[in-house]
Amino acid sequence: MTSTEPDRTTVAPGVPGTRPTRQRRAVGEVLASFDDFRSAQEIHTLLGQRGESVGLATVYRTLQLLADAGEVDVLRSEDGEAIYRRCSSTHHHHLVCRSCGATVEVEGPAVERWTSAIADEHGYVDISHTLEIFGTCRACAG
Amino acid sequence: MTSTEPDRTTVAPGVPGTRPTRQRRAVGEVLASFDDFRSAQEIHTLLGQRGESVGLATVYRTLQLLADAGEVDVLRSEDGEAIYRRCSSTHHHHLVCRSCGATVEVEGPAVERWTSAIADEHGYVDISHTLEIFGTCRACAG
DNA sequence: CCCTGAATTGACAAGCGTTCTCAATTGTCC
DNA sequence: GGACAATTGAGAACGCTTGTCAATTCAGGG
């Protein structure tokens, strides 16, 4: 029970959250099919319409994984609902038309530096921030 | 039934949302008793501790009124819960401890300018923005 | 190719914050 | 004081999100 025993020091044969399943692929495809922010429930409905049956809980879990991995942006609509969108991997913010929802990704190195500086100045650590800009886009303004 | 009838052209004797009741006064007093953001439920609890019994639904309604009137700031904590705070009238942002809720009001003229510039650049008008910084304050970080 | 075990899923229940309902109460104005 | 709208409170209802847990699926070794 010693010499023949295989190496068991690696406790986990696979790391959770990495298995490519039908459901995860389907969620990824749906995310690629639109450019604006959608709620988990909307995404779940879209999956149904595509004929890809995926449980609602799985949709939530997958979106959480993708968000943790930085592959989707999550933000809260005004009524507190979480909405998701696939995103470029860099940190950025959004300029959103409050009328039609058209979204522009914007980067703001100056803002990043500013928030860090402010946080340092007050002794806050482990910083995150949310910045969204709302306005009316050219098309909607007429 | 015609000549003796009083003038009925004024449909509304009073405008809703303006009556100073015990409950609304109590909520106002509690709001004045702290400086950081609190959830509606916390405020409801604080009212109870003060001996001022106010229904939870009334707390929500009152906070909504105050928010509409611009007398309190509302923002969403990272998990989507609405949190409230009486506010100074100037535009500002918040550095909030995600552990204890300690809040610092910060102004960022640079950020204001930056958001305006970005919006102009993309043809968006009638701009507003939300910017909140979350972190762990010195006390909570240990 | 089959076996084993962990990862993953789905249906459902549960949790939580928020809003709605409606009868009872309160404040305002005549 | 009286009438009537505004307001309240208790609880139900609601919508989003997360937890539960047995059943299923995937990866890798034998």
Side-chain angles (χ1 to χ4, degrees):
Chain A
M1 49 124 96
T2 50
S3 54
T4 56
E5 194 163 8
D7 185 359
R8 284 283 178 209
T9 52
T10 54
V11 184
V15 181
T18 56
R19 209 137 91 183
T21 64
R22 174 184 68 80
Q23 291 87 343
R24 288 180 185 170
R25 235 174 294 119
V27 170
E29 284 169 22
V30 168
L31 279 170
S33 73
F34 56 82
D35 286 314
D36 43 357
F37 285 89
R38 302 294 177 92
S39 71
Q41 317 248 1
E42 284 176 314
I43 291 169
H44 176 246
T45 300
L46 288 173
L47 283 164
Q49 292 173 355
R50 281 188 158 227
E52 290 278 5
S53 168
V54 179
L56 181 57
T58 300
V59 173
Y60 274 102
R61 282 184 294 236
T62 303
L63 288 172
Q64 233 160 23
L65 283 174
L66 292 172
D68 290 346
E71 292 177 38
V72 302
D73 282 336
V74 194
L75 63 88
R76 297 272 171 182
S77 66
E78 236 169 52
D79 63 336
E81 191 179 9
I83 49 181
Y84 305 83
R85 179 193 177 180
R86 81 187 192 291
C87 70
S88 50
S89 52
T90 62
H91 180 72
H92 56 263
H93 301 289
H94 300 99
L95 172 57
V96 185
C97 175
R98 67 166 68 84
S99 171
C100 72
T103 302
V104 180
E105 286 190 4
V106 295
E107 291 186 33
V111 174
E112 311 303 318
R113 282 193 299 273
W114 181 78
T115 54
S116 293
I118 289 286
D120 280 355
E121 193 177 307
H122 291 88
Y124 281 59
V125 297
D126 191 19
I127 293 302
S128 66
H129 63 264
T130 68
L131 167 60
E132 315 303 335
I133 313 174
F134 297 95
T136 306
C137 74
R138 188 145 26 207
C140 289
Chain B
M1 49 136 86
T2 49
S3 55
T4 56
E5 196 164 7
D7 185 358
R8 286 280 181 212
T9 52
T10 53
V11 184
V15 180
T18 57
R19 207 135 94 183
T21 64
R22 173 185 68 79
Q23 291 85 345
R24 287 180 187 172
R25 235 175 293 119
V27 170
E29 284 168 22
V30 168
L31 279 170
S33 73
F34 55 83
D35 287 314
D36 43 357
F37 283 89
R38 302 294 176 91
S39 70
Q41 317 248 2
E42 284 177 313
I43 291 169
H44 176 247
T45 300
L46 288 173
L47 283 164
Q49 293 173 355
R50 281 187 157 227
E52 289 278 5
S53 166
V54 179
L56 181 57
T58 300
V59 173
Y60 273 102
R61 282 184 293 235
T62 303
L63 289 171
Q64 233 160 22
L65 283 173
L66 292 172
D68 289 346
E71 293 176 35
V72 303
D73 282 335
V74 194
L75 63 88
R76 297 273 171 181
S77 65
E78 282 182 345
D79 64 337
E81 192 178 11
I83 49 182
Y84 305 84
R85 180 195 177 176
R86 81 187 192 293
C87 68
S88 51
S89 50
T90 61
H91 180 73
H92 55 263
H93 301 289
H94 301 99
L95 172 56
V96 185
C97 175
R98 65 166 69 82
S99 170
C100 72
T103 301
V104 180
E105 283 189 7
V106 294
E107 291 186 33
V111 174
E112 311 301 319
R113 282 193 299 273
W114 180 77
T115 53
S116 295
I118 289 287
D120 280 355
E121 193 177 308
H122 291 90
Y124 282 58
V125 297
D126 191 20
I127 293 304
S128 67
H129 64 265
T130 69
L131 167 60
E132 315 302 337
I133 313 174
F134 296 96
T136 305
C137 76
R138 187 143 30 206
C140 290

